[in-house]
Amino acid sequence: MGIPVVQMANIVSIAKTIGANRIVPTVAIPHPLGDPLLSETEQRKLRHHRVGIALDSLKTNIEETTIFEVKE
Amino acid sequence: MKKAIYYINQFFGQIGGEASADYEPEIREGVLGPGLLLSNLLDPDIEVTHTIICGDNYFASNEEKAIDKILHDLEDHYFDVFVAGPAFNAGRYGFACGAICQAVQERFGVPAITSMYEENPAVPIYRDQIYIFSGGNSAAHMRKDLPVVANFMKRTMNGEEHLSAKEEGYFPRGVRLETFHKPPVISAERAVDMLLKKLNGDEYETEIPMPSLKGVPPAEPISDLSQSKIAIVTSGGIVPDGNPDGIQSASATKWGQYDISGLNELMQGEWQTIHGGFDPSAANENPNVIVPLDVLREYDREGKIGEIHNDIYTTVGTGTTEAEATRMGGEISEDLKKSGVDAVILTST
């Protein structure tokens, strides 16, 4: 039995091409879960949100590659 | 003059047909059957000194024994190149040619060459290990297929530069070599030509074919997040300061496993990224932007997840070959399963 994996990726099209099944989009290549233009607090909030989506995706049943959308 | 040794089955070795397929491997001086044609084609550059004959069933049912016997027989003879087949579309013969070529090449360090029809089931198994030329589907193609093999053998033995797999006529082995484009047209012009053809809906040929990937079916979801052990894996190159395992900044062949138990977050100065494919300043300032341990701890404290695995796993995903990535992924998965991890967050850059 395999274990579920969620890929948090900036270039979603590549993640899809290589066969990732659960995908959560990230901010940018050098800082997937942060943004130097934002304050520390805002960055942490953003990271908290996206990792939360990622965790929820792990308990979601999927049949095919699924992109879990983020709010901000 | 260079020397070659030639492998054929019981049929082409004139022992007999299906009734003789259990014939044990044997080495003989000189050539017979298609070896006569091969010998003529190679003359005067290469001499085929010996022929090995083995029954297809014998090889298939006693592969290890057959290979051992043949390798043992070959030890008494000097040769520069090994050749087998063509196997056309014969499955058992194809597997025998592939397996013996691979074994001989490994043991004696000489190039091993064979030829098969593209649908021979041995092609996908051995094509990345040895030279398999694309041949016809039956022995009627012998006079067409053997000269191609012989020509490649001669050019290889004369030290001539190899052309691409497609130009030479063998199945691509997944090996890329640097070469100058002939005629010399710079890559920018070639790329624009391709783009124009694409825009016009014309046929064009990519210079970098993408590997066709076998996907894996999605794993079953975890039933209760609050009872689950979660691990973080990254291809973003986050390592303890100083990169203790020497993971490469590009084309990585190594991965590392680092203890984060007792850490609330990854601190600047204690962790860094060694990924060579992007500006590392943001990640070095706050490594949690690639390995989000800080917020995962929050979810742990809130009880959204059961626990966080004690180790994170790291490699670098730039220029990394599919083969290396597959191997490393397999090794990491093994450790994850051994550690009782229920689900994984994989961050990529």
Side-chain angles (χ1 to χ4, degrees):
Chain A
M1 266 300 291
I3 54 179
V5 178
V6 54
Q7 185 179 0
M8 305 192 74
N10 181 236
I11 307 179
V12 170
S13 57
I14 295 182
K16 270 170 82 173
T17 308
I18 56 109
N21 290 317
R22 293 172 167 87
I23 302 170
V24 173
T26 60
V27 178
I29 291 172
H31 40 83
L33 293 164
D35 184 347
L37 297 176
L38 303 177
S39 71
E40 279 294 321
T41 318
E42 285 170 316
Q43 287 196 56
R44 186 150 176 153
K45 198 177 141 211
L46 169 160
R47 187 152 61 244
H48 189 270
H49 171 62
R50 295 196 190 216
V51 170
I53 306 262
L55 288 172
D56 288 338
S57 81
L58 295 168
K59 59 176 187 182
T60 308
N61 190 36
I62 58 166
E63 298 294 328
E64 56 184 7
T65 295
T66 304
I67 296 155
F68 293 83
E69 293 299 340
V70 292
K71 274 187 241 141
E72 72 258 58
Chain B
M1 193 195 275
K2 302 281 187 183
K3 295 188 188 318
I5 294 183
Y6 186 31
Y7 176 96
I8 45 179
N9 70 0
Q10 84 286 347
F11 176 73
F12 291 105
Q14 299 174 355
I15 305 295
E18 203 55 35
S20 308
D22 285 315
Y23 196 74
E24 291 190 23
E26 166 192 22
I27 187 161
R28 289 190 193 179
E29 268 186 43
V31 290
L32 75 165
L36 294 165
L37 173 61
L38 181 66
S39 188
N40 285 336
L41 292 164
L42 293 173
D43 189 64
D45 304 70
I46 304 170
E47 180 194 1
V48 185
T49 61
H50 293 80
T51 304
I52 294 161
I53 305 167
C54 179
D56 284 337
N57 283 355
Y58 184 86
F59 198 103
S61 321
N62 310 276
E63 184 172 325
E64 207 175 315
K65 238 168 100 183
I67 291 176
D68 282 351
K69 166 83 165 58
I70 294 167
L71 293 180
H72 180 78
D73 287 347
L74 286 173
E75 272 167 16
D76 299 332
H77 306 286
Y78 176 83
F79 59 106
D80 302 283
V81 56
F82 189 81
V83 54
F88 308 109
N89 200 22
R92 285 170 303 170
Y93 192 20
F95 274 99
C97 287
I100 197 61
C101 279
Q102 190 181 353
V104 168
Q105 183 171 276
E106 261 175 41
R107 171 71 67 89
F108 298 99
V110 299
I113 301 158
T114 184
S115 166
M116 297 177 203
Y117 181 55
E118 60 184 352
E119 287 177 21
N120 192 309
V123 170
I125 310 295
Y126 295 105
R127 60 184 285 175
D128 58 345
Q129 311 287 331
I130 57 172
Y131 293 107
I132 304 179
F133 278 79
S134 175
N137 62 358
S138 76
H141 296 263
M142 185 71 85
R143 290 194 170 274
K144 204 167 145 249
D145 294 348
L146 214 43
V148 179
V149 171
N151 182 41
F152 183 76
M153 287 171 70
K154 285 200 279 193
R155 292 186 34 246
T156 303
M157 289 297 107
N158 292 335
E160 288 179 38
E161 192 190 351
H162 284 178
L163 306 174
S164 68
K166 193 181 164 197
E167 290 164 297
E168 295 285 1
Y170 60 84
F171 295 104
R173 296 172 303 155
V175 176
R176 282 186 195 150
L177 299 172
E178 265 188 332
T179 181
F180 285 102
H181 197 267
K182 290 169 205 145
V185 179
I186 61 166
S187 53
E189 285 183 33
R190 304 203 303 277
V192 170
D193 283 347
M194 264 188 259
L195 179 61
L196 290 176
K197 283 183 184 168
K198 184 173 183 174
L199 291 172
N200 287 330
D202 294 338
E203 292 272 317
Y204 68 96
E205 195 175 357
T206 178
E207 293 181 16
I208 306 182
M210 297 305 285
S212 61
L213 300 163
K214 301 181 286 280
V216 288
E220 292 288 313
I222 41 180
S223 50
D224 187 355
L225 208 49
S226 70
Q227 298 296 317
S228 297
K229 189 194 246 191
I230 308 293
I232 305 178
V233 179
T234 188
S235 61
I238 295 287
V239 293
D241 187 44
N243 189 16
D245 293 319
I247 297 175
Q248 303 92 332
S249 291
S251 305
T253 59
K254 297 182 202 169
W255 56 276
Q257 180 174 5
Y258 305 107
D259 189 2
I260 44 103
S261 60
L263 299 184
N264 261 325
E265 58 183 301
L266 300 188
M267 298 298 289
Q268 178 185 9
E270 293 175 12
W271 299 79
Q272 64 171 136
T273 178
I274 43 96
H275 196 295
F278 56 83
D279 175 358
S281 51
N284 285 342
E285 198 173 306
N286 183 0
N288 300 281
V289 303
I290 293 181
V291 171
L293 181 64
D294 56 352
V295 294
L296 202 58
R297 286 279 180 231
E298 282 179 37
Y299 284 118
D300 187 20
R301 281 192 293 272
E302 286 169 19
K304 186 179 173 79
I305 58 174
E307 59 177 308
I308 301 171
H309 182 40
N310 283 342
D311 291 341
I312 60 162
Y313 301 79
T314 294
T315 188
V316 163
T318 186
T320 307
T321 64
E322 187 201 340
E324 290 293 343
T326 304
R327 175 186 56 78
M328 291 192 280
E331 290 167 0
I332 293 170
S333 312
E334 230 167 83
D335 199 80
L336 291 167
K337 293 193 89 170
K338 205 174 67 197
S339 310
V341 169
D342 296 299
V344 172
I345 292 177
L346 169 66
T347 62
S348 56
T349 51

